[in-house]
Amino acid sequence: MTNMLRFLLAVAVAVAAQPVPSSGAQPATTDNLILITLDGVRVEEMFGGLDLDVLRSTLDADQNVADVPVYRRFWADTPAARREKLMPFFWGTLMRQHGSIAGNPTANSSVTLTNTHRFSYPGYAEILLGEAHNNTIKSNDPVQNPYPTVLEEIKERLGLPTSRTGVFASWSVFNAIVEHTQGTLTTNAGFEVFDHPDPHVRELSALQFETPTPWDEVRHDVYTFRLAMAHLQHATPRILYLALGETDDWAHDGRYDRVLEACARTDRYLEALWTWLQAQPAYRDRTHILITTDHGRGRTTEDWRNHGATVDGAEDVWIAFVSPRMKQRGEWREHPPLHTNQVAATVAEWMGVDWKALRPSAGSPIR
């Protein structure tokens, strides 16, 4: 080989080793996002299971707590044992092997709201916008969200068709909460028909109207979950939001037994969802799940049913993470306080979107 050929070969190798100039565009993510909210679930039940004082406060004076079915089903001697009896899959499998959860005050873990209203629409708006809007979002009226939500932004950035999104909620007001521009997302909320090619799913959709709840605007969670699963299996959405509601409404009605039963049913829903995701190559190890609540509730036997600006404890919430990018398992301990306004930036970052660049006043992503 001549000296000239050696020189040309060396130049070619050197050029090939140089990085290609970037166009500035970020590669499209192929990950999936599932957001789940459990309306008004207190930190007391999430981290401690059955609250014996609250249960006793709901009984007649001559009623023995040991005779109550939910006591026999969910009572154990320690908070850790009680919570695992209440939600065995969540605590025994999901948090132990695949995810982590913040918000247990006994572990010096704090997660709080930043909105001052401490009820549902402001709480969900804070989750979906990454910031509180106390002056404009201040009621539970079904007013269209004044601001584009993080779900809309992710959908637009990923160039997804509406069918590859899904919002399934037990409370009808979610039709207004989840999107600024109507029709951006596939949304089914409250007592609402869900059109689906499978006749069995259409039959399930019809059945919700034959099984009314005590609340005009909130259907049973089982329909919300089953319709969401049908959409997941048929349309394979990249973005899914599952918003369950019975835990809040039974609490307002003073039915602590049914609050506990709703938590236990939710645990079975989470297990069914996780099992299905793990069996699908498009979702297994490529799906980020964040589970949280819109507000807390009162801490005592006098105010556990309620929440709002004047209720002590209604600001205390929790956030659970199941993400391929987060290695932490179990409970968070001894960390700087987290806030609900960080959820939007967290889920956006998982999906390759910089929410803080779009909303500088939003909370920072949780890493």
Side-chain angles (χ1 to χ4, degrees):
M1 183 182 292
T2 67
N3 290 338
M4 179 58 70
L5 285 175
R6 289 191 182 94
F7 173 76
L8 291 174
L9 180 60
V11 169
V13 171
V15 169
Q18 296 301 309
V20 178
S22 171
S23 65
Q26 294 295 319
T29 179
T30 58
D31 288 358
N32 311 287
L33 170 65
I34 298 179
L35 174 64
I36 302 172
T37 51
L38 315 180
D39 200 311
V41 172
R42 303 192 308 163
V43 296
E44 285 82 357
E45 280 70 41
M46 179 54 66
F47 295 103
L50 185 156
D51 184 325
L52 188 57
D53 290 336
V54 169
L55 179 59
R56 281 182 170 139
S57 75
T58 67
L59 305 181
D60 295 333
D62 59 349
Q63 193 171 6
N64 188 343
V65 70
D67 296 331
V68 178
V70 292
Y71 176 86
R72 296 197 299 268
R73 182 179 175 187
F74 298 123
W75 177 251
D77 290 334
T78 67
R82 290 195 298 273
R83 71 192 186 191
E84 194 157 340
K85 269 199 167 186
L86 184 64
M87 302 183 74
F89 172 75
F90 180 87
W91 283 106
T93 299
L94 203 59
M95 292 298 99
R96 189 170 295 161
Q97 300 177 17
H98 306 288
S100 64
I101 183 169
N104 186 352
T106 66
N108 290 322
S109 175
S110 172
V111 184
T112 56
L113 303 173
T114 65
N115 81 79
T116 58
H117 300 298
R118 303 176 186 174
F119 56 82
S120 290
Y121 195 152
Y124 290 121
E126 183 177 339
I127 289 169
L128 295 171
L129 302 174
E131 54 189 328
H133 292 276
N134 291 316
N135 295 327
T136 53
I137 301 177
K138 53 187 177 181
S139 79
N140 280 338
D141 295 338
V143 177
Q144 204 69 36
N145 198 319
Y147 313 97
T149 68
V150 68
L151 303 183
E152 291 176 289
E153 188 64 38
I154 294 172
K155 184 239 185 191
E156 180 180 339
R157 292 301 179 100
L158 297 185
L160 300 177
T162 300
S163 63
R164 299 295 305 281
T165 68
V167 177
F168 291 81
S170 296
W171 186 32
S172 63
V173 180
F174 270 95
N175 280 303
I177 294 173
V178 295
E179 55 187 10
H180 174 65
T181 304
Q182 293 184 15
T184 302
L185 308 170
T186 298
T187 306
N188 183 273
F191 288 94
E192 188 171 22
V193 172
F194 181 57
D195 190 22
H196 192 277
D198 187 335
H200 296 292
V201 177
R202 295 198 299 272
E203 183 178 359
L204 180 67
S205 172
L207 192 61
Q208 66 181 305
F209 300 99
E210 299 181 34
T211 51
T213 65
W215 324 290
D216 293 339
E217 297 178 342
V218 183
R219 68 184 170 196
H220 288 296
D221 287 338
V222 64
Y223 296 109
T224 300
F225 175 71
R226 297 299 175 191
L227 295 178
M229 288 300 298
H231 182 66
L232 189 62
Q233 294 163 3
H234 174 70
T236 59
R238 299 277 303 284
I239 303 168
L240 182 72
Y241 180 14
L242 177 64
L244 303 177
E246 285 191 56
T247 44
D248 183 69
D249 291 282
W250 288 125
H252 283 304
D253 287 355
R255 291 299 304 270
Y256 189 63
D257 56 340
R258 294 197 174 176
V259 172
L260 298 174
E261 290 166 353
C263 287
R265 283 195 300 274
T266 296
D267 188 68
R268 295 196 295 272
Y269 300 156
L270 293 174
E271 183 175 15
L273 171 63
W274 179 257
T275 300
W276 187 87
L277 293 172
Q278 292 302 99
Q280 312 303 315
Y283 288 97
R284 185 178 58 249
D285 301 326
R286 294 167 56 184
T287 300
H288 308 272
I289 304 174
L290 189 145
I291 312 170
T292 187
T293 187
D294 54 327
H295 56 72
R297 319 188 79 82
R299 300 188 180 103
T300 71
T301 57
E302 286 74 33
D303 61 8
W304 71 271
R305 302 181 185 189
N306 302 316
H307 52 90
T310 62
V311 177
D312 189 30
E315 72 278 17
D316 296 329
V317 293
W318 47 270
I319 305 175
F321 314 87
V322 182
S323 167
R325 297 188 199 168
M326 298 183 76
K327 296 181 179 180
Q328 186 167 340
R329 299 290 179 264
E331 291 190 71
W332 290 49
R333 297 177 180 275
E334 305 286 350
H335 61 87
L338 303 178
H339 304 287
T340 300
N341 68 355
Q342 297 179 263
V343 170
T346 302
V347 299
E349 184 173 77
W350 285 344
M351 299 299 283
V353 176
D354 187 347
W355 189 249
K356 281 285 287 181
L358 299 168
R359 306 286 191 277
S361 55
S364 300
I366 300 167
R367 300 191 177 99

